[in-house]
Amino acid sequence: MNMSIEDFNAEWLKEARITEQVMDALTDDSLKTAITDQHRTLGQLAWHLVMSIQFMNMLGLQFEGPSREQEIPDSAAEIQASYRRIRHALLDAVKSQWSEEDLQETREFDGELWTNAGFLHFTLMHQTHHRGQMTVLMRQAGLRIPELYGPTYDSWIDRGMDPLV
Ligand code: NI
């Protein structure tokens, strides 16, 4: 998908804010939740989202983020702070370091030719995908799920309504 810097700015502001709300609902105890012990934990998924933003450094964008060697934090507050920092850092870097021409620059990744705009689009989709996985694990962990694209079970209850099925 072709995106302009303005398109990315608008989408990222919305999407990263939603992700931040999801991250902010995490608790230390919830981070170990997983569907089975063969699958990624809630904490691993949350950290994967932080580190996949960090991956955009590989495209020549310069911004600060956690080191690849850093262990996955067992503190929800640390993951939340890292996400908050890096989601702003990515957007600032895109806006200040890339022009519209840079977005059309291509590079090979995993045997395919990608534009930088394509990577930005992928970053949005990839985040949404894992964020959806996170909300399932959060429900399993007994956490309250913030509203993402509309009311949740909890918000229907709060409004005195029968949750939709
Ligand atoms: Ni992934």
Side-chain angles (χ1 to χ4, degrees), residues 40 48 126 129-130:
R40 281 198 262 200
H48 176 58
H126 176 260
H129 161 65
H130 287 300

Side-chain angles (χ1 to χ4, degrees), residues 29-83:
D29 285 346
S30 70
L31 298 180
K32 295 203 170 7
T33 308
I35 292 174
T36 73
D37 59 10
Q38 304 296 309
H39 291 89
R40 281 198 262 200
T41 64
L42 182 50
Q44 286 169 333
L45 283 171
W47 194 244
H48 176 58
L49 284 186
V50 173
M51 295 311 290
S52 59
I53 295 174
Q54 173 71 327
F55 168 83
M56 297 296 280
N57 268 313
M58 309 277 278
L59 307 180
L61 287 173
Q62 309 280 325
F63 59 93
E64 295 292 318
S67 134
R68 238 162 269 281
E69 283 74 46
Q70 182 177 326
E71 288 203 10
I72 299 177
D74 53 13
S75 147
E78 194 177 334
I79 296 174
Q80 288 152 358
S82 295
Y83 183 77

